[in-house]
Amino acid sequence: MSDPVIKTTDLTKEYHLGDNVVRALRGVSIDIAPGEFVAIMGQSGSGKSTMMNLLGGLDTPTSGSYFLEGIDVSSLSADELAQTRNRKIGFVFQSFNLLARTSALENVQLPLLYSPTPKAERLKRAEQVLTDVGLAERMDHHPSQLSGGQQQRVAIARALVNRPALILADEPTGALDTRTGLEIMAIFQGLNRSGMTVVIVTHEPEVARFAGHTIRFQDGLVVDQQRIAEPADAAALLATEPARKEVAA
Ligand SMILES: Nc1ncnc2c1ncn2[C@@H]1O[C@H](COP(=O)(O)OP(=O)(O)O)[C@@H](O)[C@H]1O
Ligand SMILES: [Mg+2]
């Protein structure tokens, strides 16, 4: 069997606020295999975002270990960690996090600015991933000229442009209506079918049903894990649902 993409052992995270200690994670051990589609679930405050920040190397644990594709993340220098993060992980956030006064095409190229990729190649790759997420006709638009769903597609294209091994998405459909959320889940499922490991955070079972592996958090602990042989198919659902009627503004 191949190495896990993610392996954590007894991961803890404490936040210190004055005399108060918040134990956001209290010993989390998970394994995520290459090609899995994982939904991290749980109520608000259960530690999901804290976990994602650790998995993404955006924050460091209080104790415990984290191996990313066999690399002990705690052994990396700040520079090495930044490089590893940039090469191996694509991030997607609830609020898209796009640069406002910048076109979709430029937003998507941003992660490549830190790599030695030549300018022409940067452009080509950005155009390709934007086309892959269905935005070939919108590349010159700024975020304010795009719908929420289109902005999230730009963010997904930006996450893909470095060809990462892993996509981490924290509540990626949280700011979107149901059908648009379904469209975003169809994109993630398509990426996952082409071999990408995808980890999303969601508190909605409606969103988690598209994942093949669910991990439920409660009070900083994993309280349930399930592997689902046949998760729901977002693209198939979209195809059978009648198209949304235009709602008057
Ligand atoms: N930067 C921080 N400083 C202090 N406490 C935090 C911080 N981030 C999160 N917490 C606390 O840690 C717990 C878990 O939060 P979080 O990981 O954001 O949960 P979730 O994403 O599941 O809503 C909560 O009690 C939250 O208030
Ligand atoms: Mg959160």
Side-chain angles (χ1 to χ4, degrees):
M1 219 179 89
S2 47
D3 277 346
V5 178
I6 286 170
K7 183 176 183 62
T8 73
T9 307
D10 282 335
L11 218 50
T12 75
K13 179 68 183 180
E14 295 177 355
Y15 296 108
H16 293 259
L17 297 171
D19 289 341
N20 272 332
V21 180
V22 179
R23 300 176 72 200
L25 296 179
R26 302 190 292 142
V28 172
S29 304
I30 59 171
D31 271 29
I32 295 175
E36 280 202 287
F37 189 155
V38 177
I40 293 182
M41 306 182 66
Q43 292 181 351
S44 179
S46 59
K48 306 182 298 295
S49 291
T50 300
M51 187 68 186
M52 287 298 253
N53 290 340
L54 297 184
L55 296 180
L58 301 169
D59 204 351
T60 53
T62 304
S63 67
S65 70
Y66 170 29
F67 285 76
L68 173 62
E69 288 198 313
I71 298 167
D72 180 355
V73 171
S74 70
S75 72
L76 302 177
S77 68
D79 272 4
E80 289 168 335
L81 178 59
Q83 264 186 35
T84 301
R85 188 164 58 220
N86 197 42
R87 275 211 321 272
K88 292 190 187 293
I89 305 176
F91 293 95
V92 177
F93 304 93
Q94 176 172 357
S95 52
F96 323 134
N97 292 17
L98 301 174
L99 291 187
R101 287 179 187 76
T102 309
S103 70
L105 196 55
E106 289 167 314
N107 265 287
V108 170
Q109 288 177 77
L110 281 177
L112 295 175
L113 297 180
Y114 308 103
S115 74
T117 315
K119 196 174 170 192
E121 171 72 11
R122 285 207 299 263
L123 189 64
K124 204 174 117 201
R125 272 165 66 175
E127 286 172 347
Q128 181 60 55
V129 286
L130 278 164
T131 304
D132 291 346
V133 298
L135 287 180
E137 313 299 319
R138 296 283 187 279
M139 295 195 196
D140 295 326
H141 290 229
H142 288 196
S144 65
Q145 299 165 325
L146 296 168
S147 69
Q150 289 170 336
Q151 290 181 62
Q152 194 60 301
R153 285 165 191 258
V154 174
I156 293 171
R158 180 183 58 188
L160 292 174
V161 78
N162 259 336
R163 300 171 180 155
L166 170 66
I167 296 271
L168 295 179
D170 194 348
E171 306 268 6
T173 63
L176 305 173
D177 65 76
T178 304
R179 185 178 175 93
T180 308
L182 211 51
E183 289 168 5
I184 295 300
M185 293 310 293
I187 292 178
F188 283 130
Q189 279 193 319
L191 291 169
N192 176 248
R193 284 182 190 130
S194 71
M196 180 84 70
T197 308
V198 179
V199 181
I200 67 161
V201 160
T202 183
H203 60 271
E204 296 171 82
E206 281 293 290
V207 173
R209 68 189 160 139
F210 301 113
H213 178 181
T214 58
I215 303 176
R216 183 179 295 279
F217 279 62
Q218 190 178 307
D219 298 331
L221 288 170
V222 172
V223 292
D224 183 53
Q225 283 205 64
Q226 313 240 357
R227 285 191 162 81
I228 299 111
E230 285 189 51
D233 182 330
L237 277 173
L238 278 168
T240 55
E241 251 187 28
R244 166 184 43 199
K245 282 189 203 131
E246 288 300 321
V247 179

